[in-house]
Amino acid sequence: MSSIKVNIIDINDDKHIITVPLNTELSLMDVVKNAGFSMGNCGGMALCASCHCYVSNNIILNQKTDAEEDMLDQLHNSNIEKSRLICQIPISEELNGIILKIVKN
Ligand code: FES
């Protein structure tokens, strides 16, 4: 496998699918931002929540860091099961088919 598919549901509920090469050091936030979605205000430091998404399928993700947990705790629309700051998720093969719902802040 040399690339993965990432499904994005934008704030208007429109669906987009992007293809992401695996040979990258980028985060999920970087590739979604590069596809034209507005996020990444803090540069991927878990400090701004502009990359807050609900992850809506059963893909097993990396553990949240304390910094990510702290930021999610401060958001009024955080969902304990679905919310992630996608700048904290590195691109990997396991993400193939992930569904991201961008959360309106
Ligand atoms: Fe700022 Fe993810 S880009 S928290």
Side-chain angles (χ1 to χ4, degrees):
M1 183 187 287
S2 60
S3 65
I4 59 170
K5 299 278 188 211
V6 175
N7 301 282
I8 303 164
I9 302 168
D10 68 21
I11 57 174
N12 299 315
D13 281 335
D14 291 327
K15 191 172 175 190
H16 311 262
I17 301 174
I18 59 174
T19 302
V20 179
L22 282 170
N23 60 346
T24 177
E25 299 293 315
L26 298 178
S27 71
L28 206 43
M29 179 277 286
D30 291 318
V31 298
V32 173
K33 180 179 179 181
N34 289 346
F37 297 90
S38 178
M39 58 177 61
N41 299 346
C42 72
M45 305 295 289
L47 293 172
C48 73
S50 65
C51 66
H52 179 201
C53 289
Y54 297 146
V55 180
S56 332
N57 56 356
N58 293 326
I59 287 172
I60 297 174
L61 301 173
N62 60 330
Q63 292 285 329
K64 293 174 197 158
T65 62
D66 288 347
E68 181 178 359
E69 294 270 17
D70 288 349
M71 177 53 67
L72 289 172
D73 282 348
Q74 295 175 44
L75 303 178
H76 67 94
N77 50 10
S78 183
N79 178 295
I80 194 153
E81 289 170 9
K82 296 181 181 176
S83 286
R84 289 299 305 256
L85 300 178
I86 63 168
C87 66
Q88 302 301 299
I89 303 175
I91 294 298
S92 72
E93 194 172 313
E94 289 72 28
L95 300 182
N96 189 35
I98 194 169
I99 302 171
L100 304 172
K101 167 90 176 90
I102 298 175
V103 180
K104 199 187 294 186
N105 286 314

